[in-house]
Amino acid sequence: MRAAILTLLPFVLPLSQKCLAFTSPVSHLRVGQGSVPALEAFRLETTSSDEGLPSTNTFLDPIADGITDLSILGLRLGTCVLMVHHGIDKLDHVEGFSVNVVAKFFGFLPGDPAFWTISAAATQIAGAGLLAVGILARPVALSMMATMVTAVVFHLLNTGIEGFPLGVPAAHSYNFELAAMYVAVLAYFSAAGAGAYSIDEKVFGGELKLYESLFEKVTAKRE
């Protein structure tokens, strides 16, 4: 038996050293008993285990990021340019829109129907301008999206789903289709913000940072 062990020993020792090479250098830290707190030990463990991993970045990443930022800018500007005429149309036909849309399909809304027509028009015109340059993009896009959600509801109440999703309507497109596309695009900007090429990013240093600083100022005054 001893002879067998001595024979295998030269092969076992190098193998054990190789296995130790894959263990974390902080695995010997005794959490809760030594001088290293549990959270710090976990951080060290995670950091040390990631150091040996290969980088996932490639030389194409900056190019892809630039194309993405330009695409978001194009999507934002295109949406705003196409949106603004919807607001102008409502201002040109306040009475007709108020009677045939607001009063007829949204009669539960309080107040004069013309108020809601003008409010929707102002949201679409002013919102298109603000979102185009990227100022307070998230709440602006959300308010614009609300007008388009209302438009989707109007079309569904007026003409139904028209065989959606596989039906082919006589007009070759669903009446609610355009409004639904606006909802989808504006939902993206409501969640993600205006993107890199915006006043929110270039001037305010980030829209969310702006809100955070405003929140801190308000809470500091209350204290």
Side-chain angles (χ1 to χ4, degrees):
M1 178 64 70
R2 291 181 59 186
I5 294 175
L6 292 175
T7 303
L8 293 175
L9 192 58
F11 300 95
V12 173
L13 287 177
L15 182 60
S16 63
Q17 291 175 352
K18 290 181 180 180
C19 292
L20 288 173
F22 290 97
T23 61
S24 170
V26 297
S27 59
H28 64 281
L29 295 176
R30 299 166 63 187
V31 177
Q33 298 179 3
S35 60
V36 181
L39 184 60
E40 181 66 13
F42 175 77
R43 185 187 67 79
L44 291 173
E45 186 77 28
T46 305
T47 303
S48 61
S49 62
D50 290 343
E51 287 177 351
L53 295 177
S55 175
T56 57
N57 295 330
T58 70
F59 72 95
L60 294 175
D61 286 343
I63 300 174
D65 291 342
I67 293 174
T68 299
D69 292 338
L70 288 175
S71 299
I72 292 172
L73 175 63
L75 179 64
R76 195 179 81 231
L77 293 177
T79 301
C80 294
V81 169
L82 293 173
M83 169 69 72
V84 69
H85 82 89
H86 291 280
I88 295 173
D89 183 42
K90 291 177 177 64
L91 292 181
D92 289 343
H93 305 91
V94 173
E95 184 177 355
F97 192 87
S98 300
V99 172
N100 298 318
V101 177
V102 180
K104 184 177 180 180
F105 294 94
F106 302 96
F108 58 88
L109 293 174
D112 189 348
F115 166 79
W116 297 102
T117 299
I118 295 173
S119 296
T123 299
Q124 291 172 342
I125 295 172
L130 291 172
L131 184 59
V133 296
I135 298 179
L136 306 179
R138 286 178 173 84
V140 169
L142 187 63
S143 63
M144 294 169 67
M145 187 183 73
T147 67
M148 288 293 107
V149 169
T150 305
V152 171
V153 172
F154 159 70
H155 287 299
L156 291 176
L157 291 174
N158 190 38
T159 58
I161 63 173
E162 302 175 274
F164 175 83
L166 301 179
V168 180
H172 307 291
S173 65
Y174 306 112
N175 284 318
F176 63 88
E177 186 174 313
L178 178 61
M181 291 299 296
Y182 274 117
V183 170
V185 173
L186 291 169
Y188 166 77
F189 288 114
S190 298
Y197 299 113
S198 63
I199 291 179
D200 282 339
E201 190 69 28
K202 298 299 183 183
V203 177
F204 299 141
E207 183 185 0
L208 297 181
K209 289 183 179 180
L210 172 64
Y211 299 149
E212 183 182 35
S213 64
L214 293 175
F215 176 78
E216 290 175 350
K217 290 179 181 179
V218 171
T219 53
K221 289 180 180 181
R222 290 181 179 179
E223 293 175 356

